[in-house]
Amino acid sequence: MSEGQGQVVYSKRQLSRARLAVAVIFCVHGSVAGSFATRVPWIQDHADVSAGMLGLALAFPAIGASLAMPLAGWLSHRFGVRTALRALLALWTLALTLPALAPNLPTLCAALFVYGATSGMADVAMNALGVEIENRMEKSIMSGLHGMWSVGALIGSAGGTVAAHLGADARVHHALAAAVLTTAGLIACQGVLELGAAPDDDPPPRFALPPKSALLIGAVGFCAVFAEGASLDWSAVYLKDVLDSSAGLAAACTTGFTLTMAVARLVGDKVVDRYGSVRTVRVGGLLAAVGGLCVVTAPHAALAMTGFALMGLGIAVVVPLAFAAAGRSGPNPSQAIAGVATITYTSSLIAPSAIGTLADATSLVASFTLVTVLACGLMVFAGVLRTAGRTPVQAPAPQTEAVDRKG
């Protein structure tokens, strides 16, 4: 999303303000996901669907996101980043209300398709903006932004847990949450940079396959997201079924994994700035692989919980760095980011079912052996994140003042 040779130069203060605004946007996005996840049991009962039908319906967010994400780059090019993000984020927060309104399986699938499509487009736009701000600040910020997404997910989950405990109708809960989050998102969007394409830049296609530059970067993200999805959905089951742990201890394992990832992302930028993306991901892959070995060889719950925590620590910054690398890998950052996002969303879609299918055929231990192998892939392929360096901020002419564009 370069603005060409005549791009506006922003002051450090303006960039810092824009970074804060984008951090709030990431937090809002995560809050929607957390609010939805905690009310899935209510939505299942309201739509009167079985566990198998629910599993089918829950595939539709990833399908919708994968199909719609390439459109985000075209919208950002056509209307400008701030305008596109403002609209897409509002659509996403308002889409939170749809699943709880669905009375049956077909309407639930349709609602979740829209929910996923708006999520994916907003995701691409806000990551593209984060990459642009990172390039202009010339220091890593993407890990911290994704850490704010995790914080938002925890906030949304906490609110949903309280609502569920009080027996609140999810339609009312999600309507109130959507109103609050839409307002917060619109306010935050006022602080982002209004970046536009250069007049002679060709618009990206509305729909396109991931560019070649995104494929290898996406493969690194695929390995990390596969491990993340497997751990989030199956860590509690692993402790309960393989190690005969209590339900409370099993749930604590999943919570610990989530918190480890959130904390690692919040502090990850300092690590990346000091050691670089490639070295950070290689060390992270080593930690994740060691964690996987702890899980598959654990004779008791404590070692397995340590293993899951190490996996969370090891994979935490990989996806933010993959998005950052995609944004520097070619002439169309939004298209490359959409490609990486499509690959990672696909990984999040297939990971839980792949773990379950392999577990049915063999065992959960074998399933997490596969996760461990993929973690080793992070060490092997981390070098693809060594893309062209950040685009330096163009120095202004002597008479040029830093400009603050108003929306």
Side-chain angles (χ1 to χ4, degrees):
M1 285 190 282
S2 171
E3 294 176 282
Q5 296 299 316
Q7 71 174 9
V8 173
V9 179
Y10 293 91
S11 67
K12 289 184 178 180
R13 180 178 179 182
Q14 291 165 336
L15 290 173
S16 296
R17 186 176 65 184
R19 176 185 180 179
L20 177 61
V22 177
V24 174
I25 290 168
F26 270 77
C27 187
V28 167
H29 196 285
S31 296
V32 176
S35 298
F36 167 75
T38 53
R39 305 313 304 272
V40 169
W42 190 98
I43 293 170
Q44 179 184 8
D45 290 341
H46 179 69
D48 192 23
V49 295
S50 65
M53 292 178 179
L54 178 63
L56 172 65
L58 289 176
F60 276 80
I63 295 172
S66 297
L67 292 175
M69 280 188 289
L71 185 60
W74 179 84
L75 290 171
S76 296
H77 183 280
R78 174 67 177 81
F79 299 104
V81 175
R82 181 193 290 174
T83 301
L85 181 57
R86 182 189 292 133
L88 293 174
L89 187 65
L91 288 174
W92 161 235
T93 53
L94 292 173
L96 174 62
T97 63
L98 298 179
L101 299 175
N104 50 45
L105 180 61
T107 55
L108 180 59
C109 291
L112 289 173
F113 181 90
V114 175
Y115 173 87
T118 54
S119 170
M121 289 190 292
D123 196 333
V124 170
M126 68 191 195
N127 273 286
L129 182 59
V131 170
E132 182 68 20
I133 294 173
E134 177 175 278
N135 290 342
R136 290 170 181 247
M137 296 185 76
E138 298 188 275
K139 66 178 183 179
S140 178
I141 67 168
M142 290 300 291
S143 179
L145 292 180
H146 281 254
M148 288 302 296
W149 190 97
S150 297
V151 169
L154 290 172
I155 292 172
S157 297
T161 300
V162 172
H165 180 73
L166 296 175
D169 189 311
R171 291 169 294 189
V172 176
H173 164 215
H174 283 171
L176 292 173
V180 172
L181 293 173
T182 300
T183 302
L186 290 174
I187 293 173
C189 284
Q190 290 299 110
V192 306
L193 304 180
E194 180 58 282
L195 303 170
D200 56 347
D201 282 351
D202 293 328
R206 288 179 173 86
F207 296 98
L209 294 174
K212 292 181 180 179
S213 61
L215 293 179
L216 287 177
I217 296 171
V220 175
F222 181 96
C223 294
V225 173
F226 193 98
E228 179 181 355
S231 299
L232 281 173
D233 288 356
W234 288 95
S235 57
V237 178
Y238 191 96
L239 260 70
K240 182 175 178 293
D241 291 354
V242 177
L243 300 175
D244 198 26
S245 301
S246 67
L249 192 62
C253 178
T254 303
T255 301
F257 173 83
T258 305
L259 287 173
T260 301
M261 284 199 66
V263 172
R265 282 177 169 174
L266 289 173
V267 302
D269 290 320
K270 294 184 182 299
V271 177
V272 174
D273 280 334
R274 180 165 184 175
Y275 298 106
S277 300
V278 175
R279 188 181 300 177
T280 300
V281 171
R282 282 181 177 154
V283 173
L286 176 61
L287 289 174
V290 170
L293 286 173
C294 290
V295 170
V296 300
T297 61
H300 48 73
L303 184 58
M305 293 177 74
T306 300
F308 281 115
L310 285 173
M311 278 201 285
L313 183 64
I315 66 176
V317 301
V318 177
V319 171
L321 292 178
F323 280 125
R328 302 191 298 270
S329 65
N332 291 315
S334 292
Q335 187 180 353
I337 290 170
V340 170
T342 300
I343 294 170
T344 56
Y345 266 73
T346 301
S347 180
S348 68
L349 174 63
I350 69 172
S353 59
I355 293 295
T357 300
L358 184 57
D360 284 341
T362 54
S363 67
L364 269 176
V365 174
S367 295
F368 276 92
T369 300
L370 172 61
V371 173
T372 305
V373 171
L374 289 176
C376 293
L378 296 176
M379 293 183 283
V380 176
F381 298 110
V384 303
L385 301 182
R386 189 187 288 113
T387 58
R390 298 185 181 98
T391 303
V393 178
Q394 190 175 355
Q399 74 275 13
T400 302
E401 298 290 333
V403 179
D404 184 11
R405 293 184 177 180
K406 302 296 182 182

